[in-house]
Amino acid sequence: MQQPSTLNAAEIAQGIASLSVKGSVLYIAAHPDDENTRLLAYLAKEAKVRTAYLSLTRGDGGQNLIGNEQAELLGQIRTQELLAARRVDGAEQFFSRANDFGFSKTSAETFKIWGKEQILADAVWIIRKFRPDVIITRFPEDARAGHGHHAASAIIAREAFVAAADSKQFPEQLKKGVTTWQAKRILWNTYNFGGNNTTAPDQLKINVGVYNPLLGRNYGEIAAISRTNHKSQGFGSALQRGEAFEFFNHTAGEPAKTSLFDGINITVGNKEIINLLAKIQQQYQISQPAASLPDLLKLKKLAAKEPGFNQPLLDEMIAACAGLWAEAVVPEANYAVGDSIAVTINAIYRASGPLKVQTMLNGKRIDLQENRLSSTKYGIKANPSDITQPYYLKKEHPIGYYVIDRQEEIGYPENPSSLRVKAIFSINDEPIELNLPILYKSTDPIKGELYQPLVIAPQVTASLSDQAYLFVNQQPKNIEVNLKAFTKNVSGELIPILPSGWKASPEKIDFKFSQKGDAQLAMFQITPSAGSTSATLRLQVKTNGQTESKGFRTIRYDHIPNINLFPEATAKLEVADLKIAGKRIAYIDGAGDLVANALQQVGYQVVHLSPSQVLLNDLSGYDAIVTGVRFFNVNEEAKNIHSKLMEYVKNGGVLLEQYNVNNGLKSNTFGPYPFRLVNKRVTEEDAVITFTKPAHAALNYPNKITSKDFEGWVQERGLYFAEDIDPKYETVLRMNDTDEAASDGSLLIADYGKGKFVYTSLSFFRQLPAGVSGAYRLFANLLAKP
């Protein structure tokens, strides 16, 4: 979590220079990482206009290169990575309600799943709130965009450019505090990368590779630092130096000939304001920023009613020149609903000179003394509405979009109503308002002082370890529930809620916690209803007259703040006719997935092996070895263990390798015979599957695979299929998306010596954690010895 801090003298000079500019630019694309960080940094810090990035999605459907979080959890990580990137390049961050449901080949398919009209409404709302002079898109509207979401983002941007100015479109928004807005122009930021060059000599171009001496970097360097925050996508970037041009193609509005801001007055204020700003800049002293305070305070009075003037930035500059620092902290990391929370406000100003600095907190006026830390305390109570849960995850949602009831919340990266302290500081009798987030501060013996977001929790949570449970052959299954207390002296009962016919034993479990942080492992034996194939388990927690049904999930990575979630305590229950042959599995982790956990759930004994353990250990005791997703992309040792794995297969073992991406491979030698990976996939999760060799053992032993086993798949069939396949491999599945050529490259099987080698591009890493019974049955066949 970023610590509360004050700006240094060079950053203050940069901010003061930005006060003379009032223009704004909104950049629009589809995902985290789509944004042009170099252009954003240039606009925010060189052109000094308000700059923002609207990512229609939070990247929920991508792959995770740093852990095993998927879907909404991955979206949480990427939201924080985007916010970290914006703190570097200086832009703001917005989102729509669109969900990244995975790769899409056309904008038509994307709009069908998103619901075009509501995503357009979100973009219009953000435009009407942010009021950009210029809108820029990353992608074109056609197939050159390379992804249906990309093309859709450009279409949404162009239509929103028009709709935002039309009072007849989305008129309900005009009752919520916004007015219509017409941007001057919309342009496409063309590009030349990945073998695609959409730039042209006659396009508007800007050299964004200039050097900023106040920041000590040029914008290519700043962009790389910003982009490197996208760690879950493996986007660590080298710092680029020297001139670099960005190109722009006109889309709509008034064409620009020499500048993005042709015909737009981005100079702020009347003549008196302009002259005063010029004086402040000329007389600013790097060694004594406080000397600018009298004129900055005078400017605050002059600009109070000036349209377009950046008042929050002016307040920030005044506070920085005064050396003002403040924080709102609590003594514990989390509190439960109903708890009283003691908040401490610490504040100090460090500028020397004849300053009068006061603060008004909770109706109490406090005089601050130069370079002396002052503290005051006040209490708040945690309410049910304060529970730490993202506003867009409070309700169940379909595949294409989040369900958001309050118009006012649209666009925010995080909860707009999170607990904050409004602190009003008076500097020489001129009020400066600061909204301080309430944070938990601690000191780590290795990392030093740390800040993390305050967590408000239910009194007791009930967490399930999996989102889906597979019941094999109608047999009962033990399901563990982790109960955790977030307050002291709390008791109650945990009740599993099941459909008629399903049974839980016991029917309820009592609990009693005396201390905050206490935990209890509860276990129910769940028995399926006769003939049932699926159900939903819901957990109910009754405490002190209250009823809750929330679990607890926390995500920890050093490069982003801790993420704490309280999702509904539910799980999908699936019944499968499943047989397994061979139980002892070695799993070699790749980029991160939950396949090993899923295999354990249905009875396999899974041992995780590192590449060095593969080299040193006798592998003959394993019935099968599985490599995790993207193993050949992320592990430098992939090429070194190949011969050992082939020897294992030759001696009678089974090796199953899961999908890899065709670029960035550490080794492209996968199996005993050659094949090549390509960027081809089947994204329609209900695409028809043809069995090209129905008698093959992979489709018959130990489970008879039928078309029914491919029902209920999620997000996609598979990705990065194989081509140029050596004839010694057998392919047994054929599939394709609508209007595309069929591919046999999703599943390759070869006998090698006494054993079996399998390479699969099928998305088992999504299907197994989601409880897709047919995927389990097919995977079990692939693991079975020949």
Side-chain angles (χ1 to χ4, degrees):
M1 184 74 179
Q2 190 180 38
Q3 297 185 359
S5 61
T6 51
L7 304 178
N8 63 44
E11 291 168 330
I12 295 172
Q14 175 83 14
I16 289 174
S18 299
L19 289 170
S20 60
V21 181
K22 66 175 182 181
S24 56
V25 176
L26 180 63
Y27 200 92
I28 300 178
H31 310 109
D33 86 357
D34 286 346
E35 78 275 25
N36 184 338
T37 53
R38 185 172 62 190
L39 179 59
L40 292 181
Y42 173 87
L43 291 169
K45 296 179 182 291
E46 187 68 24
K48 299 179 178 64
V49 296
R50 276 189 75 200
T51 307
Y53 174 45
L54 167 56
S55 176
L56 294 185
T57 78
R58 296 174 186 262
D60 330 67
Q63 281 82 54
N64 185 357
L65 295 186
I66 60 173
N68 56 25
E69 294 86 3
Q70 295 179 17
E72 291 92 346
L73 298 180
L74 179 57
Q76 286 287 296
I77 294 170
R78 293 191 173 171
T79 294
Q80 292 302 324
E81 290 178 338
L82 273 177
L83 291 174
R86 298 294 80 81
R87 286 192 288 271
V88 174
D89 58 42
E92 300 173 47
Q93 182 64 51
F94 299 121
F95 294 96
S96 81
R97 79 186 72 200
N99 183 36
D100 177 1
F101 56 83
F103 190 87
S104 175
K105 294 182 177 177
T106 68
S107 57
E109 178 195 46
T110 297
F111 287 139
K112 180 180 178 181
I113 296 173
W114 278 355
K116 180 182 177 183
E117 197 71 4
Q118 63 182 350
I119 308 306
L120 176 61
D122 290 351
V124 168
W125 170 258
I126 291 163
I127 290 171
R128 286 171 173 173
K129 278 189 69 178
F130 186 69
R131 301 170 74 82
D133 295 302
V134 177
I135 297 173
I136 301 174
T137 63
R138 169 81 283 189
F139 300 105
E141 299 183 17
D142 51 37
R144 290 174 297 172
H147 193 312
H149 296 178
H150 293 168
S153 72
I155 295 168
I156 288 288
R158 175 179 51 79
E159 293 188 8
F161 168 80
V162 175
D166 185 352
S167 61
K168 295 180 181 178
Q169 296 207 51
F170 310 108
E172 67 282 358
Q173 295 180 2
L174 304 179
K175 300 175 183 178
K176 299 290 185 178
V178 298
T179 58
T180 56
W181 179 254
Q182 179 62 70
K184 190 76 168 179
R185 60 182 56 92
I186 179 171
L187 309 99
W188 166 31
N189 178 201
T190 57
Y191 46 82
N192 182 8
F193 57 77
N196 297 313
N197 185 2
T198 59
T199 65
D202 61 344
Q203 292 174 356
L204 172 67
K205 68 177 183 179
I206 301 171
N207 180 12
V208 299
V210 296
Y211 176 71
N212 187 322
L214 286 174
L215 303 177
R217 299 185 184 278
N218 79 346
Y219 295 106
E221 294 173 285
I222 294 171
I225 297 169
S226 170
R227 192 166 184 79
T228 296
N229 282 289
H230 293 303
K231 297 184 188 302
S232 67
Q233 303 190 67
F235 280 162
S237 302
L239 276 62
Q240 302 296 315
R241 300 171 179 88
E243 70 175 20
F245 290 90
E246 294 293 342
F247 291 78
F248 302 90
N249 194 45
H250 177 71
T251 301
E254 185 177 303
K257 298 185 181 299
T258 61
S259 163
L260 291 174
F261 303 100
D262 281 355
I264 303 169
N265 178 17
I266 61 172
T267 302
V268 71
N270 55 37
K271 189 173 182 180
E272 188 177 5
I273 290 176
I274 293 171
N275 290 339
L276 182 54
L277 276 167
K279 176 189 174 186
I280 293 169
Q281 284 187 260
Q282 291 167 4
Q283 296 183 357
Y284 177 73
Q285 300 176 44
I286 288 284
S287 62
Q288 194 177 2
S292 296
L293 277 172
D295 284 333
L296 286 170
L297 293 170
K298 181 180 178 181
L299 176 63
K300 182 172 174 63
K301 292 179 180 178
L302 276 176
K305 295 183 180 180
E306 180 68 24
F309 194 87
N310 194 335
Q311 296 287 349
L313 178 60
L314 176 55
D315 283 359
E316 185 182 5
M317 293 304 104
I318 292 171
C321 284
L324 180 63
W325 175 93
E327 66 175 7
V329 294
V330 293
E332 298 182 46
N334 51 67
Y335 294 86
V337 169
D339 284 352
S340 294
I341 305 173
V343 182
T344 300
I345 313 298
N346 297 315
I348 189 173
Y349 83 92
R350 291 160 288 187
S352 59
L355 283 181
K356 177 187 175 185
V357 182
Q358 298 174 315
T359 182
M360 180 68 73
L361 292 169
N362 203 28
K364 182 180 179 182
R365 185 177 298 278
I366 303 166
D367 291 326
L368 301 185
Q369 303 298 315
E370 180 187 332
N371 206 29
R372 293 184 183 178
L373 189 68
S374 296
S375 299
T376 186
K377 295 185 178 182
Y378 79 107
I380 59 174
K381 190 170 185 178
N383 297 310
S385 60
D386 297 325
I387 287 179
T388 304
Q389 183 73 352
Y391 67 93
Y392 54 92
L393 292 181
K394 289 182 178 178
K395 289 191 171 184
E396 292 185 15
H397 64 88
I399 184 174
Y401 58 89
Y402 294 113
V403 176
I404 303 171
D405 292 334
R406 296 186 69 245
Q407 178 69 53
E408 294 84 350
E409 293 178 328
I410 297 293
Y412 285 100
E414 301 176 287
N415 288 359
S417 57
S418 59
L419 291 174
R420 291 176 175 267
V421 172
K422 182 185 288 186
I424 301 174
F425 291 87
S426 174
I427 300 178
N428 288 357
D429 297 322
E430 191 66 36
I432 305 292
E433 184 177 300
L434 299 180
N435 282 308
L436 306 176
I438 301 177
L439 304 171
Y440 167 62
K441 182 170 73 171
S442 62
T443 303
D444 183 273
I446 305 299
K447 300 175 183 178
E449 188 175 74
L450 298 176
Y451 289 83
Q452 292 295 343
L454 168 65
V455 177
I456 305 298
Q459 292 187 344
V460 176
T461 57
S463 303
L464 293 156
S465 58
D466 294 286
Q467 64 177 1
Y469 293 89
L470 201 73
F471 290 76
V472 178
N473 306 324
Q474 295 283 336
Q475 294 299 307
K477 189 179 192 69
N478 291 330
I479 291 182
E480 293 181 343
V481 181
N482 186 17
L483 288 163
K484 182 179 176 71
F486 284 87
T487 190
K488 61 183 180 179
N489 298 324
V490 60
S491 60
E493 55 188 22
L494 173 66
I495 305 171
I497 308 298
L498 290 162
S500 176
W502 287 69
K503 295 180 180 179
S505 178
E507 295 182 350
K508 68 181 182 67
I509 292 176
D510 295 328
F511 59 83
K512 184 176 182 179
F513 299 121
S514 59
Q515 298 297 321
K516 179 177 180 177
D518 284 352
Q520 175 182 331
L521 190 63
M523 183 177 291
F524 295 97
Q525 185 181 74
I526 307 296
T527 303
S529 171
S532 178
T533 58
S534 64
T536 298
L537 167 67
R538 299 183 185 277
L539 298 177
Q540 198 173 77
V541 181
K542 293 187 175 182
T543 59
N544 303 336
Q546 299 181 15
T547 300
E548 266 293 3
S549 56
K550 296 189 182 299
F552 175 54
R553 179 66 189 260
T554 184
I555 302 172
R556 301 281 186 267
Y557 291 105
D558 283 346
H559 68 295
I560 56 175
N562 294 343
I563 298 170
N564 297 282
L565 304 167
F566 297 94
E568 289 299 306
T570 64
K572 177 182 174 184
L573 309 179
E574 290 289 331
V575 180
D577 176 12
L578 174 67
K579 302 179 183 67
I580 61 177
K583 283 197 171 185
R584 188 166 167 78
I585 308 295
Y587 203 89
I588 310 172
D589 290 325
D593 59 65
L594 296 168
V595 171
N597 294 356
L599 295 176
Q600 287 176 317
Q601 196 194 114
V602 294
Y604 287 99
Q605 299 168 5
V606 181
V607 177
H608 289 267
L609 293 183
S610 67
S612 61
Q613 289 172 317
V614 170
L615 290 172
L616 296 173
N617 288 352
D618 178 9
L619 304 178
S620 62
Y622 297 104
D623 296 314
I625 298 175
V626 180
T627 61
V629 300
R630 291 195 180 190
F631 171 73
F632 289 84
N633 293 114
V634 300
N635 201 304
E636 297 285 352
E637 298 298 317
K639 58 181 177 294
N640 297 330
I641 66 171
H642 177 261
S643 60
K644 181 73 177 282
L645 292 175
M646 291 303 102
E647 180 186 359
Y648 162 77
V649 176
K650 194 173 185 179
N651 291 333
V654 176
L655 174 63
L656 187 156
E657 294 175 352
Q658 297 183 80
Y659 101 95
N660 293 272
V661 177
N662 64 326
N663 54 16
L665 287 165
K666 308 299 182 184
S667 170
N668 58 7
T669 303
F670 303 104
Y673 314 113
F675 59 89
R676 182 171 61 92
L677 299 182
V678 295
N679 188 7
K680 289 187 178 179
R681 59 184 84 199
V682 174
T683 64
E684 295 171 9
E685 62 268 25
D686 57 354
V688 174
I689 306 296
T690 300
F691 299 158
T692 57
K693 296 180 180 178
H696 194 281
L699 301 176
N700 291 276
Y701 176 77
N703 302 287
K704 175 67 176 177
I705 303 300
T706 70
S707 58
K708 186 175 177 60
D709 289 298
F710 288 91
E711 294 177 3
W713 282 48
V714 299
Q715 187 160 324
E716 61 205 351
R717 290 296 195 195
L719 61 172
Y720 295 95
F721 286 11
E723 286 190 352
D724 300 333
I725 303 166
D726 188 284
K728 295 185 183 68
Y729 289 106
E730 293 185 276
T731 58
V732 299
L733 301 178
R734 179 172 296 155
M735 63 191 74
N736 60 276
D737 282 328
T738 304
D739 298 328
E740 292 192 359
S743 171
D744 292 352
S746 67
L747 180 59
L748 283 59
I749 305 168
D751 292 332
Y752 182 63
K754 299 177 182 178
K756 178 174 72 172
F757 172 82
V758 178
Y759 185 92
T760 178
S761 296
L762 295 170
S763 60
F764 286 111
F765 74 104
R766 297 197 191 280
Q767 313 313 320
L768 301 188
V772 179
S773 59
Y776 273 97
R777 285 162 47 82
L778 177 57
F779 205 88
N781 284 13
L782 299 178
L783 292 179
K785 287 193 174 186

